[in-house]
Amino acid sequence: MTTFTALTTIRGEAPAYALSDDLEQITPEPTGVGVFEIEDGSGLWEVGAYFTERPDAAALAVLSALHHAQPFAISELPDQDWVSKVQRDLPPVEAGRFFVYGAHDADKVPDGKEALLIEAAMAFGTGHHGTTLGCLRAFDSLLNDGFSGGRIADVGCGTAVLAMAAAKVLPARIVASDIDPVAVEVAAANVAANGLTGRVECVVGAGFDAPALSEYAPYDLVFANILKGPLVGLAPDMGRFTAPGGYVILSGILNEQADEVVGVYQRNGFNLVKKDEIVDWTTLLMSKNPPV
């Protein structure tokens, strides 16, 4: 089936999300809408949509003008099974004791590894990106040091690969949340596919707003693999919802942004334990100061 994309850029996070909300209302309807910060310091955000039929160019032109965005670039994608192509192109990933793979690589799972089945889908976090890989490595390192916390949150969970990694190795109470309902559906499907139903609760919510997240706080460990802006904004809540002596694993941070994030979290009661760079991306492992 032929599909189409429509992409534009706009300045600022709030205007980008306002545009995306209106984009979902046009006819023909998009099958998916995404909003992404362009991490180059420009302040620009990309707003994109996928369509199963050619989008209305006039409607898109009106939207871009109303929201003071750049004109939409409309492209036709070739008739191809993109999910199968992505699956073939994504090899398994090994991160310490964890092995992330697609069903097409089920025969490659090594003995003695904690296997995490993740299929290509409309959610971020397959283990191949440097941020997810960094989080898995940081968690593996924490386990090697004896971590055995009983309450764990995965904020901005995407595919829930991090929450599932925790569920594989710890008898913990685990909540995975994402602002995107599609991501939460994908997360729940992955939890079921890995035989972890009942071990990971998947909920829709921004930050710690979901009642399930606040109900089980404070947490011994919080994963947050998102972006610098939301991480900085979450820092005060992280300080409130992380138990004294607990940990946060933060990623989605460009290398040049890491010092700023560390500083913000230090001001909210955290100490830097470890910093790991994978290509352009930094993962931070930080601990919450125990009470004096």
Side-chain angles (χ1 to χ4, degrees), residues 218-237:
Y219 290 96
D220 302 299
L221 171 63
V222 179
F223 295 105
N225 181 16
I226 39 181
L227 291 170
K228 184 204 86 172
L231 285 175
V232 168
L234 275 175
D237 280 347

Side-chain angles (χ1 to χ4, degrees), residues 73-236:
I74 300 172
S75 302
E76 181 176 342
L77 299 178
D79 187 3
Q80 184 171 9
D81 184 349
W82 286 100
V83 170
S84 295
K85 174 174 170 45
V86 169
Q87 289 174 336
R88 287 193 299 271
D89 290 348
L90 290 180
V93 169
E94 203 166 326
R97 73 196 67 201
F98 301 106
F99 186 84
V100 185
Y101 71 102
H104 57 293
D105 283 322
D107 60 338
K108 298 179 182 176
V109 178
D111 292 338
K113 291 291 182 180
E114 299 293 346
L116 296 164
L117 170 62
I118 302 289
E119 291 294 8
M122 290 178 62
F124 177 80
T126 62
H128 296 79
H129 196 276
T131 60
T132 312
L133 179 59
C135 288
L136 288 171
R137 287 181 179 176
F139 182 45
D140 184 68
S141 172
L142 198 56
L143 292 168
N144 289 339
D145 289 339
F147 176 80
S148 58
R151 295 189 178 188
I152 297 173
D154 184 359
V155 178
C157 64
T159 60
V161 63
L162 302 176
M164 292 191 302
K168 283 276 188 178
V169 296
L170 295 173
R173 179 75 178 83
I174 302 168
V175 183
S177 71
D178 202 287
I179 195 171
D180 181 1
V182 173
V184 175
E185 290 177 11
V186 171
N190 282 327
V191 167
N194 283 271
L196 296 170
T197 300
R199 296 294 322 286
V200 178
E201 182 177 356
C202 301
V203 298
V204 177
F208 288 91
D209 290 345
L213 278 173
S214 56
E215 179 181 353
Y216 294 105
Y219 290 96
D220 302 299
L221 171 63
V222 179
F223 295 105
N225 181 16
I226 39 181
L227 291 170
K228 184 204 86 172
L231 285 175
V232 168
L234 275 175

Side-chain angles (χ1 to χ4, degrees), residues 1-4 31 51-53 76-82:
M1 178 177 62
T2 302
T3 56
F4 300 85
T31 57
F51 298 83
T52 54
E53 54 186 301
E76 181 176 342
L77 299 178
D79 187 3
Q80 184 171 9
D81 184 349
W82 286 100

